DNA sequence: AAGATGGGCAACCGCGCGATT
DNA sequence: GAATCGCGCGGTTGCCCATCT
């Protein structure tokens, strides 16, 4: 198989990125796009391999990254998606705008697994630990079972007599997910009947194991409401909301076609699982996802915060709290409240609908025109650039509507100020870092520290 | 105060896949 | 069809920091 030529090259820097390197890479990509990653380090004047540059960009420098602690909604969503997708972090990340797979993976390994275990839930199988232990006692896993994730194991179980086992399982899971999240009855639902009918044809004892009841699911959903003994820090106390509790904007209507899959992934590739999973199943999951994320009052920090003096000018360039203007970041909704109401922000949910990253991250060739979430009004095309500038959410949506690769040149005029202010902000950032004392900051990450 | 320990996170590594030659 | 290239993904490592002893 092809091995990265860069892996054999010597004298390439490794390890943590310096601010200078970050700036070089940022400037280069902002100016020219990344194009071929292998040529990026050379063009940008970096002693790094292209792979490293790509990783740095994706995980750290991308302007659309949202940093900071995960919200409860995000945590719950990750748990639920993991129950369906397993360790497919990229696909999970695709459902959490502004989050990277690496970030989610780290969160899972360091925090969420622990939380689940504390709640008596096996993080691999998403089943009660007691059930898992009993199963292991009575049926020691084989090597292959050891290697497979719990989800995979469940999928295998369903393969016994179902031509599309993943679909069946996903339908089972997603129905539960979509249902339990909103306090609807699980028992007696059509989905549970489907599950039962499947199970009835299956002699595998595992399939006949008691389906976790509603309380179990609800309990799981409330995990994040529990006192946080793991040190993880939920950033709010929202939890899952019933649809009627959700604060939909008056001018935004979700039109969800139940006959088609509901994708609004960041990367159109990542969740293109029609060949792999049941579209109905995933659409159920994602309708849960949509409901849990979209309607939340401005759940995301803006990718481009704004200058405290002039709200029309982004005050900062790099995403992430490391460069976050404290005033702008601490109240992201306020920063955009000048002419854009939260309803407007929410109405532009096409941010999710357009499965494109303008930065060339995603497979941009297949913007899913068939995406079944339609924001009827406030189409991005109708939004003026001044509005974008005052509304980071609109900006993101607008940028994502652009043509992928050439886009970078197109948006250059809008983003050149980024590079122009970049140097100043680096200096500012470093200056801040120098002045940071222990009481000011809990921990300084490798290069800068969260500000 | 100093060392040990554990957690969180950024980055690296190895592999697989698709495209290209 | 084989070799190579480039990209993306998931697993793992290692560093830094906070807390504990």
């Amino acid at each position: 198989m092809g091995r990265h030529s860069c892996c054999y090259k010597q004298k390439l820097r490794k390890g943590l990125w310096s601010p200078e390197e970050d700036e070089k890479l940022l400037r280069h990509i902002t100016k020219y796009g990344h194009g071929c990653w292998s040529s990026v380090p050379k063009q940008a004047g970096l002693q790094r391999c292209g792979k490293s540059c790509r990783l740095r960009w994706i995980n750290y420098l991308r302007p659309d990254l949202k940093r900071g602690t995960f919200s409860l909604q995000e945590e719950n969503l990750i748990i639920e998606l993991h129950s369906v997708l397993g360790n497919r972090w990229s696909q999970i990340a695709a459902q959490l705008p502004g989050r990277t797979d690496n970030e989610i993976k780290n969160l899972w390994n360091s925090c969420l697994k622990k939380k689940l275990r504390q709640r008596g839930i096996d993080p691999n199988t998403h089943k009660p630990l007691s059930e898992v232990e009993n199963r292991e006692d009575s049926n020691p896993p084989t090597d292959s079972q050891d290697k497979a994730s719990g989800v995979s194991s469940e999928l295998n179980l369903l393969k016994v007599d179902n031509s599309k086992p993943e679909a069946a399982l996903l339908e089972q899971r997603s129905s539960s997910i979509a249902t339990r999240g909103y306090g609807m009855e699980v028992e007696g639902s059509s989905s549970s009947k489907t599950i039962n009918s499947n199970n009835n044809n299956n002699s595998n004892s595992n399939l006949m194991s008691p389906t976790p009841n509603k309380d179990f699911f609800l309990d799981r959903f409330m995990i994040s409401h529990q006192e946080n003994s793991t040190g993880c820090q939920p950033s709010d106390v929202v939890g899952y909301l019933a649809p009627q509790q959700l604060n939909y904007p008056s001018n935004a209507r979700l039109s969800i076609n139940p006959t088609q899959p509901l994708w609004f992934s960041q990367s159109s590739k990542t969740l293109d699982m029609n060949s792999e999973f049941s579209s109905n199943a995933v659409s159920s999951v994602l309708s849960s996802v949509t409901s849990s994320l979209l309607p939340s009052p401005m759940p995301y920090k803006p990718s481009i915060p704004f200058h405290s003096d002039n709200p029309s000018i982004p005050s900062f360039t790099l995403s992430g709290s490391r460069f976050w203007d404290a005033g702008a970041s601490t109240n992201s909704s306020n920063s955009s409240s000048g002419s854009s109401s939260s309803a407007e922000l929410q109405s532009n949910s096409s941010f999710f609908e357009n499965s494109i990253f303008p930065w060339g991250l995603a497979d941009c060739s297949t913007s899913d025109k068939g995406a079944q979430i339609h924001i009827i009004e406030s189409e991005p095309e109708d939004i003026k650039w001044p509005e974008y500038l005052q509304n980071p959410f609109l900006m993101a949506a607008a940028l994502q509507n652009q043509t992928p690769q050439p886009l970078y040149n197109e948006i250059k005029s809008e983003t050149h100020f980024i590079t122009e202010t970049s140097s100043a902000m680096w200096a500012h950032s470093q200056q801040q870092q120098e002045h940071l004392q222990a009481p000011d900051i809990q921990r300084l990450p490798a290069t800068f520290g969260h500000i």
Side-chain angles (χ1 to χ4, degrees), chain A residues 26 57-69 98-100 103 301-305 315-326 328-330 425-426 429 432 445 448-451:
Chain A
L26 179 79
W57 173 258
I58 289 175
N59 287 335
Y60 194 82
L61 295 176
R62 245 169 55 199
D64 57 329
L65 280 183
K66 172 177 56 167
R67 303 193 69 89
T69 55
R99 301 296 190 183
T100 68
E103 204 176 3
K301 289 179 182 176
S303 298
I304 306 175
S315 67
F316 211 19
T317 57
L318 303 182
S319 72
S321 52
R322 297 184 184 192
F323 314 101
W324 210 270
D325 176 87
S329 67
T330 52
M425 295 314 299
W426 283 108
S429 173
Q432 276 193 313
F448 288 100
H450 292 272
I451 296 172

Side-chain angles (χ1 to χ4, degrees), chain A residues 174-385:
Chain A
S174 59
S175 298
S176 299
I177 291 166
T179 306
R180 66 191 185 236
Y182 307 118
M184 294 160 64
E185 290 294 324
V186 172
E187 293 86 355
S189 69
S190 59
S191 57
S192 64
K193 288 174 183 174
T194 303
I195 296 164
N196 290 336
S197 65
N198 287 338
N199 290 351
N200 288 341
N201 294 331
N202 197 319
S203 59
N204 190 307
S205 60
N206 289 301
L207 288 178
M208 300 304 288
S209 62
T211 302
N213 61 24
K214 182 181 66 178
D215 290 339
F216 165 66
F217 288 126
L218 290 176
D219 190 44
R220 289 173 56 190
F221 258 91
M222 298 307 290
I223 286 171
S224 298
H225 291 283
Q226 302 296 320
E227 206 265 323
N228 227 313
S229 58
T230 62
C232 302
Q233 299 173 1
S235 54
D236 60 46
V237 197
V238 178
Y240 279 75
L241 301 173
Q244 60 271 26
Q245 294 177 276
L246 299 172
N247 185 24
Y248 286 97
S250 59
N251 65 337
R253 287 172 287 156
L254 288 176
S255 170
I256 300 175
N257 183 344
T259 65
Q260 297 193 35
L262 180 62
W263 296 130
F264 51 89
S265 59
Q266 292 177 350
S267 162
S268 57
K269 177 185 176 183
T270 50
L271 265 174
D272 181 17
M273 303 188 298
N274 287 340
S275 61
E276 197 173 357
F277 296 131
S278 157
S279 60
N280 286 337
V282 185
S283 68
S284 297
V285 175
L286 290 178
S287 47
S288 153
V289 168
T290 352
S291 302
S292 62
L293 280 181
L294 291 180
S296 304
M298 194 58 189
Y300 308 112
K301 289 179 182 176
S303 298
I304 306 175
F306 295 87
H307 195 281
S308 55
D309 296 330
N310 185 349
S312 67
I313 300 176
S315 67
F316 211 19
T317 57
L318 303 182
S319 72
S321 52
R322 297 184 184 192
F323 314 101
W324 210 270
D325 176 87
S329 67
T330 52
N331 199 340
S332 57
S333 58
N334 286 350
S335 69
S336 58
S337 62
S339 61
S340 303
S341 66
S342 59
E344 284 175 312
L345 294 173
Q346 296 163 24
S347 71
N348 286 277
S349 309
S350 52
F351 177 77
F352 308 108
E353 181 184 68
N354 297 286
S355 53
I356 296 174
F357 272 148
W359 329 111
L361 169 68
D363 174 4
C364 303
S365 60
T366 56
S367 175
D368 187 5
K369 302 297 182 187
Q372 294 305 307
I373 301 176
H374 297 296
I375 304 304
I376 305 302
E377 299 179 19
S378 302
E379 291 293 328
E381 292 79 7
D382 298 331
I383 302 167
K384 304 293 187 295
W385 276 106

Side-chain angles (χ1 to χ4, degrees), chain A residues 23 26-27 30-31 317 415-423:
Chain A
E23 185 176 6
L26 179 79
R27 281 179 180 276
T30 303
K31 219 170 181 177
T317 57
T415 56
H416 73 278
F417 61 84
I418 290 177
T419 53
E420 287 175 357
T421 57
S422 178
S423 301

